[in-house]
Amino acid sequence: MTAFRHPTKGVSMPIGEEPLEAHEPEQAGQLLADFIRRHPRLLILTGAGVSTDSGIPDYRDGEGSWKRRQPVQHGDFMASQQVRQRYWGRSLIGWPIIRNATPNPAHQRIAELEKRGHSNLLVTQNVDRLHQKAGSHLAMDLHGRADEVICMTCGNRSSRDLVHERCAELNPGFDNYSATAAPDGDADLEIDFSRFNIADCTHCGGILKPDVVFFGDYVPKQRVHSALDALKASDGLLVIGSSLMVYSGFRFCRYAQEWSRPMATLNLGRTRADSLVDLKLNATISQTLDHALAEL
């Protein structure tokens, strides 16, 4: 079994000929509650759509297409000083958006599902830690966590806030810029970053990188194995707020199909797994979860 990898090229969304059916939250909630009653111990997989109501932008639209330029590639980050300057420079604006975000009702409702015993593991593709802040204890950060930074040479870990403060001190002029927030601590800022001073590892001088899985990098194998073990032990798979365009998330649906685990998706727009799932709910997330919990 291999580790999950972020794709480095675009993946096309399978678009059906029929228009995508939209569900009212009450109807969707009833359908979801019925799915949960029949499959009470679920592996829940979440994506960016869960955090948008907390002010954190997502990458894709309802058809699965990129809304903006693709995120930084792992290989480019490691190989290019200019890419790292651009990343950390934009992070001076983008990181506080994630740091200051608070859980929204979707995070809270998902935590409630765990509390009621309906989730044996929550696997999130998000790196914002909002599920944990909302009270989810059985949560796995599939793509890592943005609030920690790791040295790629010696492995030393440090707080993202500390690195953020060091970058701000090294670059006093950059606090005058403003830009629109982008996903995962990025910002839509296009300026000359050639004079941006990067904060290196205080232990060995190595390259610092947020402890997240960039596109083109691999999810640690043990994390993959643990998540799939939980899927195999579950009664079914529930995907919330993800288009599943990234293979590290979509692969859960492939394994669920192989292991005959029923699947449901709750997402505004199409998903890559629409042809595989037993229940496809195209509805607002928080309101649908509200109705579903009221039914259970």
Side-chain angles (χ1 to χ4, degrees), residues 258-294:
E258 178 181 335
W259 295 334
S260 300
R261 297 297 185 272
M263 289 176 275
T265 57
L266 170 58
N267 185 61
L268 274 175
R270 300 183 188 276
T271 80
R272 190 178 175 186
D274 284 354
S275 63
L276 303 180
V277 302
D278 303 274
L279 176 63
K280 164 65 182 174
L281 300 173
N282 176 27
T284 55
I285 294 172
S286 295
Q287 291 175 301
T288 296
L289 292 172
D290 273 341
H291 287 290
L293 283 164

Side-chain angles (χ1 to χ4, degrees), residues 6 41 45 47 64 69 73-74 83-84 109 122 131 138 146 156 207 228 231 242 254 270 275 289:
H6 272 295
R41 290 280 288 175
L45 173 68
R69 188 166 62 179
Q73 299 285 320
H74 177 80
V83 171
R84 294 194 295 276
R109 303 302 175 264
L122 165 63
H131 282 298
L138 303 175
N156 182 66
I207 294 173
L228 289 176
L231 175 60
S242 176
R254 298 288 296 271
R270 300 183 188 276
S275 63
L289 292 172

Side-chain angles (χ1 to χ4, degrees), residues 39-40 57 64 103 120 126 137 149 155 176 189 203 242 256 279 284:
H39 316 292
N120 67 338
N126 302 333
H137 300 289
V149 173
N176 296 323
L189 180 65
H203 287 249
S242 176
L279 176 63
T284 55

Side-chain angles (χ1 to χ4, degrees), residues 59-91:
Y59 285 112
R60 301 177 187 271
D61 61 23
E63 296 295 332
S65 300
W66 290 104
K67 291 181 176 179
R68 51 176 52 84
R69 188 166 62 179
Q70 293 188 25
V72 65
Q73 299 285 320
H74 177 80
D76 294 339
F77 182 90
M78 294 302 300
S80 171
Q81 171 86 358
Q82 292 180 335
V83 171
R84 294 194 295 276
Q85 287 175 311
R86 178 177 177 273
Y87 178 87
W88 286 111
R90 288 163 62 127
S91 290

